[in-house]
Amino acid sequence: MFQKIEISTGQSLSQIYFGFDWHRVTELLPSDTKVVIVTDNNLKLIYGDEFPDYPVLSVNPGETSKNLATISRLTEQLLKLGVDRKGFILGIGGGVVCDLAGFLASVYMRGIRFGFISTSLLSQVDASIGGKNGVNSRSAKNIIGLFNQPEFVICDISMLATLPEDEYLSGLTELLKAALIRDKQLVDKIDANYRSVLSRDSDLLNDLIIQSVQIKKRVVQEDERESGERKILNFGHTFGHAAESEYLIKHGIAVAWGMVAAMELANRNGYLHDADRKYVTQIIHKLGLLQGADIRGRDVAKKISSDKKRSGDSIDFVFLTGPGKCMLEKVSITDLVKFIRTFN
Ligand SMILES: NC(=O)c1ccc[n+]([C@@H]2O[C@H](COP(=O)([O-])OP(=O)(O)OC[C@H]3O[C@@H](n4cnc5c(N)ncnc54)[C@H](O)[C@@H]3O)[C@@H](O)[C@H]2O)c1
């Protein structure tokens, strides 16, 4: 039996499938039109033999493919395959493939239909959910993009068995983040079962992914275009993004560090009790989310200062006020820089 979560925003409806064998994807695809698969070379190597029988366009794995040059190359390939406005793009991959395939489908011939088989933990709990699609410019991440919901997303946890450990931990950070901003019970469940979480216990994992997608669904349905409430999904990301681009480290490690730093700031401002800060910080450590992190606050401060032109003088910062609770408050970049310069 599979489970389905529907995300409806404005005029669009996105169906997210759990416990649904990805090999059955053809049941969700149109039969009367051209379907093209977009994937990366890792996924093609591991699962390519089992892909349904459609043309496959594959990119190099990783962030370096997420740019307009790739979109331009894929566009030429779609044209060569004769894909018209009725065509369908099936993205099979992690966050990079989903962001690329969603953007490509949204701009090709002013928009064709698309869906995802989401293969990394990070994309199952975050990147493939919520309709943000886009690519990086030379100097800024995700700066070129649009909102457009995939028709469907398949989250089949059997695919996570082949996911490398550091990628798994990166996804766990976003799963924990979702719990931290909205659901104390889920935080406690992750804490109580952290060993099974780390050993990728499939029933538990499926349940945790569904609950974290429910949280993202509620936030996205309230504010699809991030004019307010959706910003709470950025908990830990202000410092995290700066650390990620300064050190070119994995997103999850950077965000885990960013969450610890943001909690320290919340505690100093009197918004978060020390006991709560310690409780959440120990979960982050127990899960090993900071493994290999060697991040210095003063480097992150420099990065935030140099990005000031893009972010403006102040931002809506996400303060955790307890496990499962948070609030947005405007904070000046100058104050953030002053704080993070001394945080290690
Ligand atoms: N659109 C959004 O709302 C949103 C949200 C969060 C993150 N993102 C984006 O997501 C991207 C990061 O996603 P990611 O961490 O999935 O990165 P990714 O797509 O690069 O995948 C990470 C690595 O794991 C490999 N991989 C994926 N699934 C696998 C599997 N089942 N088995 C073996 N290997 C597998 C990939 O080939 C890649 O090498 C970033 O570009 C980020 O900006 C987007």
Side-chain angles (χ1 to χ4, degrees):
M1 256 311 274
F2 64 87
Q3 235 177 299
K4 194 164 71 172
I5 294 179
E6 295 192 337
I7 301 187
S8 84
T9 49
Q11 324 227 307
S12 65
L13 176 70
S14 189
Q15 321 232 34
I16 325 290
Y17 291 82
F18 305 89
F20 186 92
D21 181 353
W22 70 273
H23 298 93
R24 290 173 53 194
V25 65
T26 43
E27 295 170 27
L28 307 179
L29 290 168
S31 53
D32 54 347
T33 187
K34 207 158 238 167
V35 176
V36 175
I37 293 172
V38 172
T39 189
D40 77 23
N41 295 339
N42 285 342
L43 274 314
K44 189 176 168 198
L45 192 70
I46 304 172
Y47 296 104
D49 290 348
E50 301 161 62
F51 283 178
D53 193 16
Y54 300 113
V56 176
L57 307 180
S58 190
V59 302
N60 286 327
E63 206 61 33
T64 50
S65 286
K66 223 179 92 171
N67 53 44
L68 286 175
T70 307
I71 293 294
S72 172
R73 186 171 58 78
L74 292 170
T75 300
E76 294 305 326
Q77 292 175 312
L78 291 178
L79 285 169
K80 233 187 233 160
L81 288 166
V83 177
D84 62 18
R85 300 183 69 169
K86 291 199 281 342
F88 192 104
I89 290 181
L90 173 64
I92 305 181
V96 165
V97 166
C98 293
D99 278 6
L100 262 176
F103 184 70
L104 176 67
S106 302
V107 295
Y108 182 74
M109 296 193 173
R110 297 191 182 79
I112 63 173
R113 299 167 61 189
F114 68 106
F116 300 140
I117 296 175
S118 188
T119 66
S120 71
L121 181 58
L122 189 135
S123 66
Q124 294 191 357
V125 297
D126 198 1
S128 67
I129 313 293
K132 275 190 184 178
N133 311 283
V135 295
N136 306 325
S137 75
R138 212 174 312 146
S139 66
K141 234 173 105 69
N142 300 330
I143 202 80
I144 303 157
L146 41 75
F147 292 94
N148 192 14
Q149 302 286 340
E151 281 186 21
F152 65 79
V153 181
I154 296 176
C155 299
D156 179 345
I157 54 161
S158 74
M159 297 185 104
L160 301 182
T162 53
L163 192 66
E165 185 63 11
D166 58 340
E167 302 295 349
Y168 181 72
L169 293 179
S170 194
L172 269 190
T173 299
E174 294 292 355
L175 199 161
L176 177 65
K177 176 209 74 184
L180 286 172
I181 57 174
R182 275 282 174 100
D183 189 340
K184 171 149 183 0
Q185 275 184 0
L186 188 56
V187 177
D188 293 342
K189 190 170 190 173
I190 294 169
D191 179 48
N193 297 286
Y194 79 95
R195 283 203 178 85
S196 307
V197 172
L198 286 174
S199 64
R200 308 188 194 191
D201 176 283
S202 47
D203 287 344
L204 177 68
L205 201 50
N206 198 45
D207 181 46
L208 296 179
I209 293 171
I210 290 174
Q211 290 194 57
S212 99
V213 170
Q214 292 279 20
I215 294 168
K216 186 156 185 187
K217 166 193 161 141
R218 289 200 294 274
V219 174
V220 168
Q221 286 194 164
E222 280 164 34
D223 173 26
E224 186 188 17
R225 287 170 180 263
E226 201 170 297
S227 46
E229 188 67 9
R230 187 166 178 163
K231 290 180 185 161
I232 68 171
L233 294 168
N234 295 333
F235 172 54
H237 284 60
T238 303
F239 297 134
H241 271 156
E244 185 180 0
S245 54
E246 176 66 21
Y247 292 101
L248 301 177
I249 50 175
K250 281 238 80 61
H251 182 73
I253 293 180
V255 170
W257 182 84
M259 294 197 299
V260 173
M263 284 192 291
E264 172 71 27
L265 184 60
N267 179 246
R268 284 194 201 176
N269 287 0
Y271 301 146
L272 181 70
H273 291 303
D274 207 39
D276 288 335
R277 182 189 66 76
K278 281 188 182 139
Y279 172 58
V280 175
T281 304
Q282 60 91 23
I283 300 176
I284 291 173
H285 284 292
K286 278 204 285 202
L287 292 172
L289 302 182
L290 281 168
Q291 248 169 52
D294 183 16
I295 302 171
R296 276 171 295 273
R298 62 175 185 278
D299 295 336
V300 176
K302 264 188 273 158
K303 186 73 198 165
I304 293 178
S305 300
S306 69
D307 282 352
K308 198 172 160 190
K309 219 201 262 161
R310 203 163 50 233
S311 43
D313 289 334
S314 66
I315 58 158
D316 290 314
F317 192 81
V318 191
F319 285 106
L320 207 69
T321 51
K325 288 188 295 185
C326 67
M327 65 174 194
L328 284 168
E329 190 178 88
K330 276 232 176 308
V331 180
S332 78
I333 298 290
T334 313
D335 285 348
L336 287 180
V337 166
K338 212 188 281 170
F339 161 75
I340 203 67
R341 198 180 284 141
T342 58
F343 180 82
N344 279 302

